[in-house]
């Protein structure tokens, strides 16, 4: 059987998916390994490439490998990694490194958020609509953009850094990127918790230092007014950012992923309602849906990249 | 000689450019006529198509027509006009209408702001860089987007409505589109005048009702502190919007056009400086330049569209 591996490299783990070329059940097997760490605490390019080669080879089980797609946590343009802080890489022409090991199979390299976007678009909530955007709400806010059925990377691989859209022109919350008022500070899990804590202080309540985003959503779902207000404020902040994106790019669909989206349509329905009030009239009907692939979006996307290249 | 006409349809005038296929001096001749108005004050599709056909034919002077590109003030997707309020059109498959008259020459149809973007990108300040954005600052704020060397139109032809990016999440100025806090209310000529008038009130000065944007820039250039502050505030507002766009799209270059850009690099240099402080680190170096084609961007862009289609 011909197979393609989708590989999602992170600072802690490397996730692998073994896929066959025809669906609907493309995924044959998935597994993960700890990301190799060298003795200085860094991850050298050679170590990770060896690891990918070894694991893929080990899981081939007599199948015929025709391609490997790899996602990296850093900017990538046309397959070249421009740097990846989490795994301490500088500029790496990863295709060349992987071809040294894999020889003559198709090798593709994407940024991890872009890979997740491609995966959600092709196999998940995006329904392969012509223009689609993924926004992931986790510890931070990330995303990726599909235009005319193609993933776009931008001039320096930074397309889709929508967590750093400035939604407050003045007096915004300080962001870890050094800027202020970034969407990430309001719509990430961390940001939503901050909104709740500020609201506690404003109401003269003791601040619950242990508060989690999940707790906020759970209590809001139970009908607690205080937490419902936090959720609605957060939906308002997110809708502000999404409206700006849609007024610029006019996509068919926005897919919301990441930990925050686990609350299902509870949050997304609120975002959708406020979005309609904030978006330019001609983009009001943009679909806003919950992403469906969760942590598998990356492996699916790296598989999709190889599959799409082979079909071209 | 083989020629292509670029036609820019507006509510008041229709601008025509007659172009030859090779440069650097592509433009043979340009002229404009008043937009035909029917007896009910509307502009019927037939009247405007006849007008385009008549004017092009009249100005052929024995040359061989190989294509006509037309820009329309309304959303266009794949050559179909989805509506154009200024000239009272609904949905019009304009290529079909024009082919009835012109027969077997290449016909292309674009939204007017998108055509201007293509023109500035191909023949003006954009230097054909892979990813480019035009923002026009006039009475309103409009724009268009080039990604991977292609103009993008979006799901409903509303790509580039960057005048309606929300730069104030709360208490923003009311926009004519019905929303609040739109970039247009701060960075258009009208918006800059509003900023000056508000500042006059804040300082307890009499409000100059006759104040124009040109006057603001002229006085600021003369070193007047009050007006320099208005210009800097306006540059800050614009940079806020541009940073959001660049964090999303990571273009190589932003071209600033429209009446406000007539102040030359005086305004743009300020925008550039503030932009560097507000943009995500990886997009800080986006080029920000003054557009060069002014009111001719549209005819050049419609010409470019035909030229690019013929080369494909």
């Amino acid at each position: 059987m011909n197979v393609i591996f989708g590989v999602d490299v992170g600072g802690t783990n490397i996730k692998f998916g073994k896929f066959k070329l025809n669906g609907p059940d493309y995924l044959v097997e998935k597994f993960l390994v700890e990301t190799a760490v060298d003795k200085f605490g860094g991850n050298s390019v050679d170590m990770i490439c060896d690891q990918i080669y070894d694991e893929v080879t080990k899981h081939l089980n007599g199948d015929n490998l025709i391609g490997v797609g790899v996602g990296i946590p850093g900017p990538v343009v046309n397959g070249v990694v421009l740097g990846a802080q989490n795994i301490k890489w500088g500029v790496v022409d990863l295709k060349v490194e992987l071809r040294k090991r894999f020889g003559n199979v198709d090798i593709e390299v994407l940024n991890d958020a872009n890979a997740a976007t491609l995966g959600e678009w092709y196999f998940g909530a995006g329904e392969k609509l012509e223009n689609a955007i993924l926004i992931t709400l986790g510890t931070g806010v990330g995303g990726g953009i599909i235009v005319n059925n193609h993933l776009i990377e931008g001039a320096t691989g930074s397309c889709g850094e929508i967590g750093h859209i400035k939604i407050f022109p003045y007096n915004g919350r300080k962001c870890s990127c050094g800027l202020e008022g970034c969407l990430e500070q309001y719509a990430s899990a961390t940001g939503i918790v901050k909104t709740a804590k500020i609201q506690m202080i404003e109401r003269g309540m003791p601040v619950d230092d242990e508060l989690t985003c999940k707790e906020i959503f759970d209590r809001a779902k139970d009908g607690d007014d205080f937490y419902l207000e936090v959720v609605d404020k957060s939906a308002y902040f997110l809708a502000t950012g999404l409206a700006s994106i849609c007024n610029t790019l006019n996509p068919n669909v926005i897919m919301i992923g990441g930990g925050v989206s686990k609350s299902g349509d509870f949050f997304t329905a609120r975002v959708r309602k406020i979005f309609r009030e904030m978006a330019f009239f001609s983009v009001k009907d943009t679909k806003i849906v919950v992403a469906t692939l969760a942590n598998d979006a990356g492996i699916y996307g790296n598989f999709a990249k190889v599959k799409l290249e082979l079909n071209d």
Side-chain angles (χ1 to χ4, degrees), chain A:
Chain A
M1 181 172 67
N2 287 334
V3 295
I4 291 170
F5 277 74
V7 183
D8 189 8
V9 177
T12 313
N13 292 310
I14 306 182
K15 294 191 200 90
F16 291 81
K18 177 179 174 179
F19 295 90
K20 52 193 172 73
L21 273 73
N22 298 308
D25 299 316
Y26 294 95
L27 186 63
V28 178
E29 175 191 9
K30 63 176 177 172
F31 55 95
L32 58 80
V33 299
E34 262 180 52
T35 310
V37 181
D38 74 17
K39 53 188 170 183
F40 307 109
N43 302 275
S44 79
V45 175
D46 274 342
M47 284 174 78
I48 289 180
C49 286
D50 285 346
Q51 218 179 355
I52 293 172
Y53 178 73
D54 291 347
E55 293 298 329
V56 166
T57 309
K58 204 189 297 177
H59 287 80
L60 262 182
N61 298 329
D63 288 325
N64 180 40
L65 183 69
I66 61 167
V68 181
V70 179
I72 297 294
V76 174
V77 176
N78 296 327
V80 178
V81 181
L82 302 183
Q85 228 179 347
N86 278 356
I87 49 174
K88 298 181 183 163
W89 286 12
V91 176
V92 181
D93 193 342
L94 193 58
K95 286 188 179 188
V96 170
E97 294 303 320
L98 289 169
R99 279 200 192 107
K100 283 183 197 163
R101 289 155 177 91
F102 284 102
N104 198 25
V105 307
D106 193 45
I107 304 285
E108 299 297 335
V109 178
L110 288 176
N111 160 268
D112 56 357
N114 285 345
T117 304
L118 196 65
E120 270 302 340
W121 172 70
Y122 199 90
F123 294 109
E127 301 175 63
K128 295 184 207 166
L129 293 169
E130 208 171 339
N131 304 285
I133 291 171
L134 173 70
I135 181 164
T136 54
L137 313 175
T139 316
V141 169
I145 301 170
I146 307 273
V147 171
N148 295 341
N149 300 312
H150 291 280
L151 190 65
I152 62 175
E153 295 182 326
T156 57
S158 292
C159 243
E161 284 293 356
I162 49 192
H164 302 283
I165 287 182
K166 201 180 185 76
I167 63 163
F168 278 88
Y170 296 118
N171 305 318
R173 296 180 193 163
K174 188 94 186 154
C175 186
S176 56
C177 75
L179 301 173
E180 284 174 13
C182 295
L183 178 59
E184 176 161 301
Q185 288 304 311
Y186 300 86
S188 64
T190 332
I192 295 172
V193 170
K194 282 185 185 173
T195 299
K197 288 181 177 173
I198 291 170
Q199 193 172 292
M200 284 167 179
I201 294 168
E202 285 172 349
R203 309 276 159 93
M205 293 158 61
V207 173
D208 173 3
D209 266 333
E210 307 297 311
L211 187 68
T212 64
C213 187
K214 186 179 177 309
E215 213 175 322
I216 293 170
F217 278 104
D218 286 346
R219 295 209 196 168
K221 278 181 182 174
D222 287 345
D224 182 306
D225 281 344
F226 179 90
Y227 290 100
L228 270 171
E229 219 178 305
V230 172
V231 168
D232 281 336
K233 262 186 203 165
S234 305
Y236 183 90
F237 293 140
L238 179 58
T240 303
L242 295 184
S244 289
I245 294 170
C246 288
N247 295 345
T248 306
L249 277 173
N250 186 201
N252 302 76
V253 62
I254 293 210
M255 310 171 280
I256 301 185
V260 175
S261 72
K262 284 186 189 153
S263 72
D265 213 46
F266 178 73
F267 186 52
T268 306
R270 289 174 149 73
V271 173
R272 207 178 283 129
K273 184 171 173 293
I274 303 171
F275 174 85
R276 282 192 68 84
E277 292 159 16
M278 296 178 96
F280 194 57
F281 72 94
S282 57
V283 305
K284 268 189 202 315
D285 294 324
T286 310
K287 289 175 85 166
I288 302 183
V289 299
V290 181
T292 58
L293 298 182
N295 290 334
D296 290 343
I299 56 172
Y300 271 97
N302 288 301
F303 161 52
K305 175 69 178 170
V306 178
K307 186 172 151 64
L308 287 165
E309 288 299 321
L310 291 173
N311 289 351
D312 265 359

